[in-house]
Amino acid sequence: MNDPENSRTIDVLIAGAGPTGTTLAIDLMRRGVTVRIIDKAPHSFEGSRAKGIQPRTLEVFDDLGTIDDILAGSSDYPRLGIHLGPVAAPWRMFRNRDRTTDVPHPNTRLIPQYRTDSVLHDRLEQLGGRVEYGQELVEFVQDSTSVTATVIGDDGTEKITASYLVGAEGGASAVRGQLGLSFLGTTDEQDRMLIVDAVTTGLSRDRWHVWPGVKGRFAGACPLPHSDLFQWMIRLAPDEDPPEGAEAITRRIQAHTHNRNIEVHDIRWRSVFRPNIRLAEAYRRGRVFLAGDAAHVHTPAGAQGLNTGIQDAYNLGWKLGQVLAGADERLLDSYEAERLPIAAGVLGLSTQKYEGIAKLDPSSLRRGKDEQQLSLTYYGGPLAPTDCDRTTTLQVGDRAPDAELLGEDGAPVHLFDSFRGPHFTLVAHGPNAAAAGEELDWPATGAPLRRVVVDAGEDFRRSYGLKGETLLLIRPDGYIGHIATRNFLASTQTAARAMTPVAQQETVR
């Protein structure tokens, strides 16, 4: 614990090793940033809690090198089976879509959180990192150059000094508390949900079973893929004591479902939680940041919380890397400016869905493009001004879609293959745009630049809405950092300066 090697100042200390914190650690480590990630829990999370991975998050996992394991450990969502007396009515939450050239992962995937955590932790270890469990951050101080955190573990107390600290340790975040940031919103103390992962008999595994009840009470059982487990969600009455143990939980389920064939065995995880609806008043104070549930908590409806946290990490990671490499620290201000409005919108969406479920509104069970997070945009933010050029389909700040191109050998390749990695990508269409792209100076430090020239391809022109020559700068997180349909070189260079180190520029091929 007091190893001299760990006594030096590191770049980033991350508190919290859930999906948000681990995603951030992976992104930073592949940029050569020195990271420590700690978690006060004695081991990794064991429950299924957040089990839906949205299409945009699948694209992030593709970039981070975890997509194959996520897909192998997940499944498409089953249809709902809504039990109304002796009848179980089938209901489709969303229509499974075929892959298209612009959206390679069109469907939400079902995977228990413990498996997502495991995949991310394995990837972190592949990069040379590891989670330090049993280490609780209890306080910190910061000055103009660093943050020093006090961490308590089995081996005693340690002081860790880092250039930046990120609190990603959940809704009860100690980092947020010490910063004195308000966690604005509501918690209904009478609204509680019992969540249980258990082997279940007497129930088919081809449906996500839902039993509506009076006054918004309901029970649901979702089969977890590649296992013999169901995740049970049981909304409790205000004065009800949560049942404990397989026999008591079975009795509670049978009383609600009126099906005495259903029994639960071998409980793997059990939790009682209150659906909080809260948003931090700010995501940053000095050298300290919040991400994930430390910054925003949602109802479970719509599978938004985990996905929004991963997008936080993906937005913050490249910006920390750039500033540590010499970019203007004002780049870090764009993290809150871009992510806080997104979280506010997601809070409204998940709350609406959750309230609809309580009212037995069928539309609340449907999932569409808003939940998939593919249409989220940073347009109008500090890195995506409204006076920039645009195409017929895209603006600066939008997600850059995939597209099928022809490789040098004539075989099809995908634009996302060029985006994959910790770099910026410059995509040129047309000879003048390509010439300007070759002249663009790029810093020798920080995220490198990959240049892609697209001379042909109807699919690319359609997906990107191109009517003429265009030069596009794609940020490391897959969002459009600049569009130039004229004045290619000067306008792109100006946009790049806001996101790159201010050290002496040189061209990197």
Side-chain angles (χ1 to χ4, degrees), residues 134-180:
Q135 308 299 320
E136 182 177 5
L137 188 152
V138 293
E139 63 179 3
F140 60 85
V141 294
Q142 64 172 313
D143 56 30
S144 61
T145 61
S146 64
V147 184
T148 299
T150 301
V151 175
I152 296 178
D154 292 339
D155 296 333
T157 301
E158 180 184 7
K159 300 286 188 181
I160 302 176
T161 300
S163 296
Y164 296 99
L165 167 66
V166 180
E169 73 281 50
S173 169
V175 172
R176 187 190 65 243
Q178 185 168 334
L179 287 174

Side-chain angles (χ1 to χ4, degrees), residues 62-74:
D62 189 338
D63 181 39
L64 297 179
T66 63
I67 187 63
D68 290 343
D69 288 339
I70 290 291
L71 293 178
S74 63

